[in-house]
Amino acid sequence: MSDLSTDNFRKHTTTNPLQRILIDNFFKYLLAEVKSMQPKSILDVGCGEGFTLEKLRNMGIGERLVGVDFSESAIEIGHNAHPELDLKIGSIYEIPFKDNQFDLVICTEVLEHLDDPKKALSELARVCKGSCLISVPHEPWFMLANFLRGKNWSRWGNDIEHINHWSRAGIGRLVNNYMDVKRIKNPFPWTMLVADRKV
């Protein structure tokens, strides 16, 4: 097994009680949203080690669960931790599937890291035949929460890997250029939205 110290792996396996509460609350929102959609096919783009897909699998949500991530280490860890999942190496800028392939496309905590989030959203919309669930840090609250718990003080709470920052309204406007935004929620300190494929 490769490096187990990726940021995503540490986040999902943290024992910090405050961070655990926030992450569990995030998944409460996400799982409720996905369950209400009743998708048969689900693609998680930027799936990391497959933690989200594993939660869906354990709840019996979806018949086809697929994950894509550019990190070979994350996919290797995912294969070892969640051998039942279909995890592949791939880029969000060139998602390795044909148009309109999945009832639901998930992309959580990815867009804030990207040089070209517009191209990524175009690809998410392309492979989606139903809905897309997207989450990003809710700014400025995400940075404030980091700062108050003593994380990234020298950068005023900003994670060094976050190169994009959106308010609730800002991410809604951006996504609406590619899909029809239906719902926006804020499981603190994130923004989570559901958008449908444009017809």
Side-chain angles (χ1 to χ4, degrees):
M1 188 179 293
S2 295
D3 175 26
L4 290 179
S5 62
T6 65
D7 283 344
N8 190 64
F9 188 89
R10 287 197 301 270
K11 178 176 77 174
H12 285 280
T13 58
T14 183
T15 56
N16 178 295
L18 177 57
Q19 193 171 6
R20 189 76 262 155
I21 289 170
L22 296 176
I23 291 170
D24 289 347
N25 187 55
F26 173 87
F27 275 111
K28 182 180 78 172
Y29 276 78
L30 183 146
L31 295 171
E33 283 288 348
V34 176
K35 186 176 181 180
S36 71
M37 298 180 210
Q38 299 182 321
K40 291 186 177 179
S41 56
I42 302 172
L43 173 66
D44 186 359
V45 181
C47 66
E49 297 81 9
F51 288 100
T52 299
L53 289 174
E54 181 67 7
K55 289 179 184 295
L56 295 173
R57 189 186 74 80
N58 287 336
M59 290 183 65
I61 299 173
E63 297 174 5
R64 181 188 181 202
L65 303 175
V66 182
V68 171
D69 198 282
F70 79 98
S71 169
E72 293 183 21
S73 294
I75 294 300
E76 183 179 351
I77 293 168
H79 283 155
N80 284 281
H82 314 296
E84 301 85 358
L85 296 179
D86 182 6
L87 306 178
K88 306 175 184 297
I89 298 169
S91 169
I92 194 171
Y93 298 128
E94 295 179 0
I95 300 173
F97 293 99
K98 295 179 181 179
D99 296 358
N100 309 322
Q101 285 290 296
F102 293 90
D103 297 325
L104 174 64
V105 177
I106 296 173
C107 184
T108 56
E109 307 311 290
V110 175
L111 298 180
E112 65 270 19
H113 299 272
L114 302 181
D115 291 324
D116 193 349
K118 293 180 179 179
K119 183 175 181 180
L121 283 167
S122 178
E123 273 291 274
L124 295 175
R126 180 185 66 79
V127 297
C128 174
K129 66 177 177 180
S131 298
C132 192
L133 186 151
I134 295 169
S135 74
V136 295
H138 183 196
E139 300 298 5
W141 308 111
F142 188 89
M143 286 190 286
L144 179 61
N146 274 345
F147 187 78
L148 291 177
R149 67 188 179 98
K151 184 179 179 185
N152 303 322
W153 271 9
S154 65
R155 295 186 299 276
W156 296 98
N158 182 42
D159 283 345
I160 194 169
E161 295 179 347
H162 292 187
I163 60 176
N164 300 298
H165 305 88
W166 291 286
S167 64
R168 173 188 171 112
I171 190 62
R173 285 193 299 269
L174 178 62
V175 173
N176 214 47
N177 291 320
Y178 302 90
M179 293 167 266
D180 293 323
V181 175
K182 298 300 182 184
R183 294 183 297 285
I184 301 181
K185 297 183 177 181
N186 288 108
F188 183 84
W190 293 280
T191 298
M192 182 181 296
L193 58 83
V194 173
D196 290 348
R197 180 175 175 271
K198 287 185 181 290
V199 292

